């Protein structure tokens, strides 16, 4: 656990600094009054928790400690505790079921969130565990998306299914699943083109991919992941809502947590939707995908040492 | 999401009976709502604070014009303030008067640099008849260079041949030599996506800038960016002294508060916005529209554009005639459902209409489920043409067919919804 924390903290360190500095500046040791609470709420808003979630967290602190003299670390500990409580129920690693052959994972999200990179990392991790992994390049729209994914597939040592640019994505998904079954693969990862959630025609296309998979195997896709960019603000809520309307999203992956964005949106999403957060992306390397762990995440976010 | 700000502010002021100048206490109450609205729209907190302070000073003591409510008055002050902050009018890109015009594209991973590079190339080529060269300096992301090469092929401009193993600076050198030697009017350098806190890569892009001496250094940023917009914009501006910002994915449904944040902290104009996946979906920035959008005040212009994009006029007239004659069939009804869906569904449409937010609240309370439309379309699909014309023919075989269509086709409780049943 400690090593997991260290690796995550490495990625999160700089991003958590600003939040931590804000909180530290407020509470060196003073009375927790309304003004202090408001400043605290502001710090949480700046971490992208959103107004509602920041108010909720601040309200809990008020209930527990109002009027008391509180110190910096104490406040951080309390905050990390609340945040970890919200996150604990959603911290669920994605483990492919051994029974499903293959275990089909559909990966969706808006443009540029990091779907392809995430698939490369997932494939490498699962191949490393001795599973036979296949990848279907169903982003037949974006220029060179197939080539990009093929390089990742090579690195991970995964079987690669592709079609020409402009080919029917659902058709490829269908064929890839048939081949994966025939070849007895353990996992099949399906990359899809990035799409804005408010474009109904593109969302219909995603529904179609989802549907044709179920035609061959009623349980497929076994997991449908939505990849979210940690730099995204409150629009993340709309993304989750609308992707869920199109496909049965079973979990989230949050990327780019190694940047200056603080990923506070994860807390608000956990509170609002309760969808499992399977993993976080903390770099461009093939090993830079970490399981999401509630307490570690909350503590690292506040720059606290592991419990 | 935050409901329409103007409604909220009207509510605040509805409670006050007296008229005349706006009093400080009333304005304070209104500013709390303004603050939340801006934060919900992803405007960064320090920017919100500055803005609210300025607006408050402006609003207090203002005489309320007879024909408007105090709430409307404050909304106008806020709206004008936003417009002003976003930059009064559109600022164009530098002109290629002394060729080559060099443009450097920079930004975070996944912000849309390469796609925007392709769109820019097309714009210079088609609208200004310029000879354009694009070069990818992205040696990190797999197949990034190929991506730009393919895009260049699609828009019909030249792309610098890919040489394996060259670093960003070497590619810059080669691009500049090629541009000068072969008489290009415009050269666009597409850099790798990088984090603003990645010291090494930020130094690299600064070195590229030194070498290329671009007239335009554009920061490409995603319209969905949250509070981080401030830090990203500051960091890139510090290293590159950017000349403008390109805001991508404005065709999404994010309020776009990042526009305000970035403009405010850098003082640099937003020059262009990306509005779609097609290679010509690059438009000038309209401060007015974005101000309305941030406030959630509805965007009639976008609504009209969306309708033009999706509604087939002839088809609409045909349907109208049918309705008048009373021969509107279930087939026709389904066409209507599809059109609504194409335009973003009932909720999407209503959100764009000013003033409708008030009704939407009631609609939400009435539990209107948009999936009903999807379900109805599926049910109509599962009917035979005969049944669609004469719904009284519906019987047991219809139920069997619906079951075959699976969960989407099957109405809740296995019943045909009463609104589709024969009367």
């Amino acid at each position: 656990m400690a090593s997991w924390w260290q690796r995550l903290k490495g990625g999160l360190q700089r991003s958590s600094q600003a939040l931590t500095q804000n909180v530290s500046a407020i509470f060196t040791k003073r009375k927790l009054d309304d003004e202090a609470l408001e400043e605290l709420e502001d710090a949480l808003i700046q971490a992208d928790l959103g107004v509602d979630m920041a108010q909720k967290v601040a309200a809990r602190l008020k209930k527990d400690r109002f009027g008391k003299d509180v110190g910096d670390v104490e406040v951080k500990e309390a905050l990390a505790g609340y945040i970890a409580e919200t996150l604990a129920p959603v911290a669920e690693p994605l483990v492919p079921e051994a029974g499903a052959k293959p275990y089909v994972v559909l990966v969706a999200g808006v443009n540029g969130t990091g779907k392809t990179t995430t698939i490369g990392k997932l494939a490498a991790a699962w191949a490393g565990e001795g599973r036979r992994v296949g990848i279907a390049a169903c982003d037949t729209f974006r220029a060179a998306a197939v080539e990009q994914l093929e390089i990742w597939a090579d690195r991970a040592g995964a079987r690669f299914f592709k079609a020409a640019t402009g080919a029917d994505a659902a058709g490829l998904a269908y064929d890839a699943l048939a081949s994966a079954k025939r070849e007895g693969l353990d996992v099949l990862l399906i990359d899809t083109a990035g799409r804005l959630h408010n474009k109904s025609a593109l969302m219909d296309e995603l529904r179609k991919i989802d549907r044709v998979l179920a035609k061959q195997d009623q349980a497929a896709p076994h997991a449908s992941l939505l990849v979210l960019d940690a730099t995204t603000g409150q629009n993340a809520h709309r993304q989750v809502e609308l992707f869920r309307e199109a496909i049965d999203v079973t979990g989230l992956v949050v990327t780019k947590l190694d940047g200056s964005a603080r990923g506070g949106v994860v807390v608000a999403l956990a509170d609002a939707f309760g969808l499992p957060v399977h993993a976080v992306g903390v770099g461009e390397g093939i090993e830079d995908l970490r399981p999401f762990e509630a307490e570690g995440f909350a503590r690292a976010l506040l720059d606290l040492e592991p419990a | 999401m935050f409901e329409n700000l103007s409604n909220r502010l009207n509510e605040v002021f509805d409670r006050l009976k007296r008229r005349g100048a706006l009093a400080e206490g009333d304005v304070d109450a209104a500013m709390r709502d303004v603050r939340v609205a801006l934060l919900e729209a992803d405007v960064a907190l320090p920017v919100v604070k500055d803005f609210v302070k300025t607006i408050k000073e402006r609003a207090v003591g203002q005489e309320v014009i007879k024909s408007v409510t105090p709430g409307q008055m404050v909304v106008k002050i806020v709206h004008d303030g936003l417009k002003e902050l976003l930059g009064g009018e559109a600022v164009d890109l530098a002109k290629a008067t002394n060729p080559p015009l060099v443009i450097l594209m920079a930004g975070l991973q996944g912000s849309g640099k390469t796609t925007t590079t392709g769109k820019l190339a097309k714009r210079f080529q088609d609208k200004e008849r310029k000879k354009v060269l694009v070069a990818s300096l992205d040696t990190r992301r797999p197949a990034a260079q190929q991506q730009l090469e393919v895009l260049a092929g699609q828009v019909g401009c030249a792309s610098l041949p890919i040489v394996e193993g060259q670093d960003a600076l070497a590619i810059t050198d080669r691009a500049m030599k090629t541009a000068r030697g072969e008489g290009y009017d415009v050269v666009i350098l597409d850099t790798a996506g990088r984090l603003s806190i990645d010291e090494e890569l930020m130094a690299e892009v600064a070195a590229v800038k030194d070498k290329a001496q671009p007239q335009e250094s554009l920061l490409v940023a995603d319209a969905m960016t949250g509070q981080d917009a401030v830090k990203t914009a500051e960091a890139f501006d510090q290293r590159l002294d950017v000349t403008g910002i390109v805001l991508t994915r404005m065709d999404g449904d994010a309020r776009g508060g990042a526009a305000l944040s970035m403009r405010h902290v850098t003082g640099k104009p937003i020059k262009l916005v990306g509005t779609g996946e097609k290679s010509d979906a690059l438009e000038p920035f309209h401060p007015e529209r974005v101000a309305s959008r941030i406030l959630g005040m509805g965007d009639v212009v976008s609504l009209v554009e969306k309708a033009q994009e999706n509604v087939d006029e002839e088809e609409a007239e045909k349907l109208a005639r049918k309705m008048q004659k009373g021969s509107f069939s279930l087939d026709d009804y389904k066409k209507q459902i599809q059109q609504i869906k194409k335009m973003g569904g009932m909720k999407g449409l209503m959100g764009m209409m000013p003033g409708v937010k008030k009704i939407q609240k009631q609609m939400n309370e009435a539990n209107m489920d948009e999936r009903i439309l999807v379900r109805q379309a599926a049910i109509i699909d599962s009917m035979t043409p005969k049944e669609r014309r004469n719904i009284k023919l519906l019987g047991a075989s219809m139920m069997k067919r619906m079951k075959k269509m699976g969960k989407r086709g099957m109405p809740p409780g296995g019943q045909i919804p009463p609104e589709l049943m024969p009367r």
Side-chain angles (χ1 to χ4, degrees):
Chain A
M1 206 47 91
S3 73
W4 180 90
W5 182 89
Q6 265 155 3
R7 275 176 302 166
L8 177 63
K9 197 182 164 193
L12 273 177
Q13 201 158 39
R14 277 168 296 205
S15 57
S16 67
Q17 251 165 25
L19 173 61
T20 306
Q21 278 161 5
N22 280 338
V23 175
S24 303
I26 304 163
F27 293 101
T28 33
K29 186 92 181 177
R30 67 187 248 199
K31 190 158 281 207
L32 186 67
D33 54 15
D34 280 329
E35 192 192 337
L37 275 168
E38 194 177 308
E39 284 170 32
L40 179 66
E41 211 178 283
D42 283 355
L44 294 172
I45 286 170
Q46 282 188 274
D48 276 323
L49 263 78
V51 178
D52 283 352
M53 194 65 213
Q55 279 174 352
K56 245 189 209 179
V57 174
R60 277 202 62 181
L61 192 69
K62 179 176 178 173
K63 202 172 132 219
D64 290 355
R65 322 268 154 120
F66 195 75
K68 290 179 187 153
D69 277 333
V70 283
D72 174 24
V73 176
E74 189 189 345
V75 166
K76 282 201 277 181
E77 289 278 353
L79 281 177
Y82 303 148
I83 291 173
E85 246 175 65
T86 305
L87 294 176
V90 302
E92 226 180 86
L94 183 62
V95 183
E97 289 158 30
K101 268 207 176 236
Y103 183 80
V104 182
V105 183
L106 181 64
V107 181
V110 304
N111 319 61
T113 54
K115 288 175 293 300
T116 303
T117 307
T118 300
I119 286 176
K121 293 170 181 175
L122 277 174
W126 286 336
E129 290 167 9
R131 295 179 213 268
R132 298 187 54 215
V133 180
I135 299 176
C138 294
D139 180 356
T140 53
F141 178 80
R142 208 197 73 204
V146 176
E147 286 80 354
Q148 182 186 351
L149 189 57
E150 190 159 20
I151 293 169
W152 279 109
D154 280 350
R155 287 178 189 171
R159 174 85 167 82
F160 192 63
F161 304 99
K162 66 176 172 183
T165 303
D168 175 39
L172 172 59
Y174 187 89
D175 292 345
L177 178 51
S179 305
K181 276 185 159 176
R182 215 171 32 243
E183 295 172 25
L185 298 183
D186 299 311
V187 185
L188 177 65
L189 284 152
I190 297 180
D191 192 16
T192 61
R195 67 199 74 226
L196 284 171
H197 46 285
N198 61 336
K199 306 256 165 164
S200 52
L202 296 179
M203 294 307 275
D204 281 346
E205 190 192 281
L206 184 62
R207 282 192 184 95
K208 190 175 163 201
I209 296 175
D210 190 47
R211 228 169 28 232
V212 301
L213 291 170
K215 270 189 187 157
Q216 281 187 62
D217 178 352
Q218 272 215 318
H222 302 83
S224 297
L225 306 183
L226 178 64
V227 179
L228 288 171
D229 183 332
T231 48
T232 304
Q234 300 309 304
N235 190 250
H237 289 267
R238 291 287 292 158
Q239 292 179 24
V240 174
E241 263 171 47
L242 292 185
F243 271 97
R244 271 179 103 182
E245 270 178 29
I247 57 171
D248 178 22
V249 175
T250 57
L252 307 175
V253 174
V254 182
T255 61
K256 303 182 202 172
L257 267 169
D258 49 334
S260 53
R262 301 172 210 165
V265 64
V266 182
V267 184
L269 291 176
D271 187 59
F273 298 98
L275 278 174
V277 183
H278 294 310
V280 295
V282 292
E284 288 179 302
I286 201 160
E287 74 292 346
D288 289 330
L289 189 75
R290 314 265 186 259
F292 180 78
E293 198 256 302
E295 200 184 348
F297 184 88
R299 295 188 72 88
L301 193 71
L302 290 153
D303 204 24
L304 288 165
E305 292 303 308
Chain B
M1 270 286 137
F2 197 80
E3 59 191 308
N4 191 329
L5 181 71
S6 41
N7 287 345
R8 279 284 292 260
L9 293 182
N10 278 329
E11 273 168 34
V12 171
F13 286 100
D14 277 351
R15 277 180 254 126
L16 308 165
K17 292 285 172 242
R18 83 200 131 76
R19 312 273 302 190
L22 294 170
E24 184 163 359
D26 308 340
V27 172
D28 268 343
M31 287 306 132
R32 271 197 291 278
D33 280 340
V34 172
R35 179 177 178 276
V36 176
L38 294 177
L39 289 171
E40 291 286 355
D42 284 323
V43 181
L45 186 72
V47 182
V48 173
K49 284 188 165 169
D50 279 1
F51 181 76
V52 167
K53 196 167 152 245
T54 318
I55 291 302
K56 196 187 140 187
E57 279 165 14
R58 260 190 228 177
V60 173
Q62 275 267 358
E63 281 300 322
V64 178
I65 311 165
K66 273 233 168 69
S67 55
V68 301
T69 66
Q72 285 169 333
M73 189 78 195
V74 173
V75 169
K76 187 181 178 327
I77 296 169
V78 172
H79 189 260
D80 288 349
L82 284 177
K83 231 164 49 183
E84 201 180 302
L85 196 56
L86 286 167
E89 52 209 82
V91 181
D92 213 357
L93 288 179
K95 293 269 173 260
T97 41
N98 186 19
L101 171 68
V102 184
I103 302 178
L104 179 73
M105 311 290 284
L108 300 179
Q109 287 96 338
S111 55
K113 289 174 296 302
T114 305
T115 305
T116 306
T117 300
K119 289 177 180 178
L120 261 181
K122 185 175 168 65
R123 197 178 123 110
F124 275 110
Q125 198 166 256
D126 293 0
K127 290 205 173 142
E128 300 181 26
R129 303 267 152 233
K130 300 292 182 199
K131 194 176 164 199
V132 184
L133 174 72
V134 298
S136 169
L137 315 187
D138 188 349
T139 56
R140 298 165 53 85
R141 185 165 59 90
Q145 292 176 294
Q146 284 92 317
Q147 184 187 351
L148 187 60
E149 194 172 49
V150 173
L151 283 176
Q154 282 169 7
V155 304
C157 74
S159 73
L160 192 73
I162 299 169
V163 176
E164 292 291 331
Q166 272 195 340
D167 66 7
L169 279 174
I171 300 171
T172 306
D173 241 355
R174 195 154 54 83
M176 297 309 297
K177 277 191 190 122
T178 308
R180 288 192 194 104
E182 297 177 18
Y184 282 95
D185 303 312
V186 180
V187 51
I188 309 176
L189 304 173
D190 179 24
T191 65
R194 64 201 73 223
L195 299 166
S196 60
I197 52 172
D198 189 327
E199 201 38 53
E200 195 187 322
L201 285 181
M202 289 302 280
E204 180 205 80
V205 72
V208 166
K209 183 182 168 157
D210 264 358
K211 195 174 265 297
Q213 295 292 321
Q215 289 91 326
E216 289 278 7
S217 301
L218 300 176
L219 171 62
V220 182
D222 187 328
M224 296 183 276
T225 309
Q227 297 286 320
D228 186 58
V230 165
K231 269 176 274 161
T232 297
E234 266 175 351
F236 275 93
D237 193 36
Q238 232 168 45
R239 291 311 272 267
L240 293 179
D241 187 18
V242 302
T243 55
I245 295 159
V246 182
L247 216 55
T248 61
R249 299 187 195 119
M250 280 297 274
D251 50 330
D253 59 0
R255 290 275 179 80
L260 199 67
S261 308
M262 292 187 160
R263 163 86 209 197
H264 186 65
V265 299
T266 63
K268 304 296 167 66
I270 294 156
K271 291 195 166 172
L272 294 163
V273 294
T275 56
E277 297 194 334
K278 295 205 183 92
S279 60
D280 56 358
L282 189 69
E283 293 174 10
F285 176 69
H286 298 291
E288 161 97 41
R289 285 196 205 175
V290 176
S292 298
R293 181 170 170 158
I294 288 175
L295 288 181
M297 278 171 59
D299 184 350
V300 182
V301 183
S302 299
L303 175 65
V304 173
E305 282 172 357
K306 212 160 197 179
Q308 280 171 341
E309 204 178 295
N310 287 301
V311 177
D312 180 342
E313 244 175 88
E314 259 176 61
E315 187 72 21
E317 269 172 37
K318 226 163 77 192
L319 286 177
R321 275 200 301 277
K322 274 189 164 178
M323 224 183 268
Q324 279 166 350
K325 282 198 309 198
S327 61
F328 191 79
S329 70
L330 282 178
D331 262 332
D332 300 325
Y333 179 56
K334 205 194 125 195
K335 277 183 198 150
Q336 292 270 289
I337 294 178
Q338 278 165 340
Q339 209 139 65
I340 291 172
K341 236 180 95 193
K342 260 198 240 161
M343 291 176 65
M346 293 296 277
K347 277 188 196 150
L349 280 181
M350 303 214 110
M352 278 187 280
M353 285 187 231
V356 171
K357 285 270 163 99
K358 255 186 187 162
I359 317 172
Q360 194 172 6
K361 201 170 148 197
Q362 279 138 19
M363 282 175 53
N364 284 344
E365 279 160 10
N367 249 338
M368 197 191 86
D369 183 355
E370 244 179 274
R371 278 168 302 184
I372 284 175
L373 295 181
V374 179
R375 225 177 272 133
Q376 288 183 347
I379 292 166
I380 295 171
D381 272 343
S382 65
M383 296 179 186
T384 64
K386 242 188 183 168
E387 285 167 342
R388 285 181 216 176
R389 281 194 301 271
N390 183 1
I391 201 153
K392 291 187 182 131
L393 296 173
L394 282 187
S397 71
M398 164 73 196
M399 293 306 291
K400 262 187 224 153
R401 265 177 276 134
M402 282 201 305
K403 273 179 192 145
K404 254 191 222 157
M405 291 188 66
K407 58 185 175 193
R408 209 173 294 283
M410 203 55 207
Q415 295 290 318
I416 297 171
E419 65 271 20
L420 288 183
M421 281 306 273
R423 278 170 233 273

